[in-house]
Amino acid sequence: MNEYFHYQQEQLCIENVVLSDIAHRFGTPCYVYSRAALTNGYRQFSEAFKAREHLICYAVKANSNLAILNVFARLGAGFDIVSGGELQRVLAAGGAANKVVFSGVGKSEAEMRQALEAGILCFNVESAPELERLNAVAGSMGKVAPISLRVNPDVDAKTHPYISTGLKQSKFGVAYTEALVLYRRAAAMPHLRITGMDCHIGSQLTETSPFIAAAEKVLALAEQLAASGIKLEHLDLGGGLGIRYDDETPPSIAEYAQALLNALQGRAEKIIVEPGRVLVGNAGVLLTRIEYLKHGEEKNFAIVDAAMNDLMRPALYDAWHAILPLQKRDAARQQYEVVGPICETGDFIGHAREMAVDQGDTLAVMSAGAYGMSMSSNYNTRPRAAEVMVDGAQIHVVREREKVEQLYAAEKIIC
Ligand SMILES: *Cc1c(COP(=O)(O)O)cnc(C)c1O
């Protein structure tokens, strides 16, 4: 728990609001976010980097709700996007196109056109054929595309293999050893303008050393580029700073920033970072109600109304989330498998949790603000959860619960 979540008279609260009130009013499953947590996280970043010219590009994929994007946009954030859809969201939320960096290995021509039309800050290019395509698309529009090459520094992020992106065998970025040649090729393309270099080595990193190792490799390459006459305006060191889910001890935002600033001492380039999880992860919880307590032969199950379609991280990465009762009970604890209603054995929220609960109780799945709602699906024709943002004592619904009719509205029966 952090300062935005606390128990008051045995009731779990978010800021000045009792979470069970939200569960009663809006039903479950329901994501709830703290605006103060979002704001404070962003401010910690801008404060930590204030000694240098910098841009904090929130990684939209971590949580793309318009209200969240808008909170960051008002604070002056830029955005890291990975699709044309995310660009459209950023613009709809009031984000500035000229603070957007566009990452991703598979940008389509249409997405490139859309981003050039909007006037984004930079395309983070991930391959030679992407350079060729972008040059052609920009040329056909009579424009020049600002680019950075995403270099793969071949650094072990020491995180879960599914969220590790900076090793040689990964699909992301261009090989470190080929980057120089590609930069020279890009420099010769008439519709591209080289503005930066970027890297992103993985997610949920809990140490600073891999970030520093990556930054040093980026710097070494930038120096080689300078020697061949290519000057960069910015260095983008990606996102990836981890959060505490259980007993992890990630560096603070200030420690992380200081480590990067030290590594980049004496460099003139503007710094860009692309934090996602660390800005939203511990700002949100998922509320879910216990439908049944089922006592099996070997295990007890708490069958809840949230499932892997709502929060995929446990099923996908075997991720651990704390699960807390909204109302503490003075009863003996029992061990439960906390599982959803979906027809998959992988559909679990937590294994072997000691809880004093009863049927009908509501639980908070903690640290669910990042890669929760944004990874949700409609599997089993389950409408997606409502989303609520709390601001002090105020409660705002920032996404209505989906209706089943919406799920099949675009489908057709043929005769
Ligand atoms: C996912 C991603 C991020 C954000 O990662 P977090 O671990 O959520 O901070 C930043 N940059 C790129 C290119 C990404 O793919």
Side-chain angles (χ1 to χ4, degrees), residues 4-337:
Y4 310 100
F5 297 91
H6 59 276
Y7 279 99
Q8 202 169 341
Q9 292 160 355
E10 315 291 285
Q11 299 251 46
L12 187 59
C13 301
I14 176 171
E15 298 193 29
N16 304 331
V17 173
V18 177
L19 277 164
S20 354
D21 289 350
I22 293 179
H24 282 137
R25 273 177 65 185
F26 306 106
T28 52
C30 177
Y31 278 98
V32 189
Y33 310 115
S34 156
R35 181 174 187 166
L38 299 170
T39 302
N40 187 14
Y42 183 84
R43 291 219 169 109
Q44 284 181 46
F45 263 94
S46 54
E47 185 65 22
F49 282 104
K50 75 168 180 224
R52 294 191 55 139
E53 196 189 352
H54 68 272
L55 181 64
I56 296 151
C57 291
Y58 167 62
V60 173
K61 73 180 190 289
N63 189 322
S64 54
N65 184 287
L66 292 193
I68 289 182
L69 301 182
N70 178 258
V71 165
F72 291 137
R74 282 164 189 264
L75 292 166
F79 296 92
D80 169 46
I81 59 163
V82 292
S83 71
E86 286 190 349
L87 175 56
Q88 213 170 319
R89 273 185 180 276
V90 166
L91 299 178
N98 64 5
K99 292 182 180 174
V100 168
V101 297
F102 192 171
S103 305
V105 294
K107 299 176 194 79
S108 70
E109 282 186 18
E111 287 174 320
M112 288 175 173
R113 244 178 264 122
Q114 182 192 352
L116 283 165
E117 205 59 67
I120 66 165
L121 176 65
C122 192
F123 288 85
N124 289 350
V125 173
E126 305 217 16
S127 65
E130 186 187 336
L131 276 181
E132 305 279 351
R133 176 184 277 184
L134 184 57
N135 183 53
V137 172
S140 74
M141 297 172 71
K143 292 193 188 273
V144 173
I147 66 137
S148 158
L149 279 183
R150 174 168 176 178
V151 299
N152 184 334
D154 193 26
V155 166
D156 187 354
K158 299 181 195 129
T159 184
H160 190 288
Y162 284 13
I163 46 178
S164 186
T165 55
L167 283 169
K168 266 188 199 155
Q169 56 268 35
S170 126
K171 72 172 176 179
F172 299 101
V174 302
Y176 192 76
T177 48
E178 288 166 21
L180 206 52
V181 171
L182 280 181
Y183 265 110
R184 290 210 188 97
R185 263 170 73 185
M189 293 187 194
H191 305 289
L192 301 183
R193 187 169 73 86
I194 296 169
T195 62
M197 186 184 301
D198 64 288
C199 72
H200 171 72
I201 57 174
S203 198
Q204 183 55 16
L205 273 69
T206 52
E207 292 169 38
T208 50
S209 51
F211 290 116
I212 296 169
E216 282 170 354
K217 292 197 103 173
V218 163
L219 285 182
L221 202 52
E223 266 161 37
Q224 290 178 47
L225 280 185
S228 61
I230 300 174
K231 275 198 74 182
L232 302 178
E233 293 163 26
H234 73 255
L235 298 174
D236 175 346
L237 296 164
L241 181 57
I243 62 168
R244 182 167 195 159
Y245 287 97
D246 185 7
D247 53 5
E248 302 90 339
T249 50
S252 68
I253 291 168
E255 287 164 346
Y256 159 83
Q258 198 51 55
L260 289 187
L261 288 174
N262 291 346
L264 298 182
Q265 221 163 24
R267 305 291 308 196
E269 298 89 344
K270 169 173 169 172
I271 300 181
I272 296 181
V273 283
E274 305 168 348
R277 186 188 312 269
V278 69
L279 284 178
V280 290
N282 276 322
V285 296
L286 171 62
L287 305 185
T288 183
R289 199 176 110 101
I290 300 177
E291 296 282 4
Y292 300 102
L293 290 179
K294 176 170 166 176
H295 299 281
E297 256 177 67
E298 288 191 5
K299 286 178 173 172
N300 297 319
F301 295 93
I303 301 171
V304 298
D305 65 0
M308 64 188 281
N309 75 298
D310 300 299
L311 180 65
M312 199 184 188
R313 299 188 68 258
L316 187 62
Y317 315 122
D318 204 16
W320 190 95
H321 287 261
I323 302 175
L324 301 177
L326 295 199
Q327 168 111 51
K328 281 191 187 167
R329 276 182 185 280
D330 205 8
R333 288 163 171 248
Q334 271 196 303
Q335 199 178 76
Y336 293 98
E337 295 293 298

Side-chain angles (χ1 to χ4, degrees), residues 30-33 63 65 68 373-374 385-389 396-401:
C30 177
Y31 278 98
V32 189
Y33 310 115
N63 189 322
N65 184 287
I68 289 182
M373 187 64 176
S374 62
E387 290 177 289
V388 167
M389 191 180 293
H396 304 278
V397 177
V398 294
R399 181 183 166 118
E400 306 271 353
R401 183 176 306 287

